[in-house]
Amino acid sequence: MEEKIKGVLKEKVDPVLAEHYGGAVLTGFEDGVAFVRLTGQCASCPSAQSTIEEVVKTIVMENLPDVKDVILDTSVSEDLLDMARKILRGEKEDL
């Protein structure tokens, strides 16, 4: 199911979000619920929650009836946390 969701995000959701310089990635799927993180300009947009509900959720659920819900993943990636730790330790040359 995860591969199917990733396919729908890439083929149908990303072109819509690309108009706003953004995209969407699946971060998890559990008990019929897809967790999606917005990328690019959409990640920091004040309307991110509305985008998930009105765009991403609608498209995913229309194409994959087995998906019960789509939820915005607002967690911080490990890559970003690692970069912040290096900056705080003064390891800027490793970035």
Side-chain angles (χ1 to χ4, degrees):
M1 181 55 76
E2 288 185 22
E3 290 305 314
K4 289 181 180 179
I5 297 169
K6 289 177 184 178
V8 169
L9 291 175
K10 182 177 181 176
E11 295 170 20
K12 300 192 183 247
V13 173
D14 281 352
V16 174
L17 299 182
E19 294 176 16
H20 301 273
Y21 305 103
V25 293
L26 180 70
T27 59
F29 181 71
E30 186 176 326
D31 298 325
V33 178
F35 297 90
V36 176
R37 178 179 293 132
L38 297 179
T39 62
Q41 294 294 324
C42 293
S44 59
C45 177
S47 299
Q49 185 63 45
S50 295
T51 300
I52 283 288
E53 293 173 9
E54 296 171 15
V55 177
V56 181
K57 181 176 182 175
T58 300
I59 293 172
V60 170
M61 292 178 69
E62 282 177 357
N63 287 273
L64 299 169
D66 291 338
V67 175
K68 298 175 188 171
D69 200 3
V70 176
I71 295 177
L72 177 62
D73 180 351
T74 58
S75 64
V76 178
S77 73
E78 275 303 311
D79 290 340
L80 187 58
L81 289 172
D82 287 341
M83 185 184 301
R85 289 181 192 110
K86 286 180 180 181
I87 290 169
L88 290 171
R89 289 191 299 256
E91 300 172 11
K92 294 179 185 174
E93 62 277 352
D94 294 338
L95 300 175

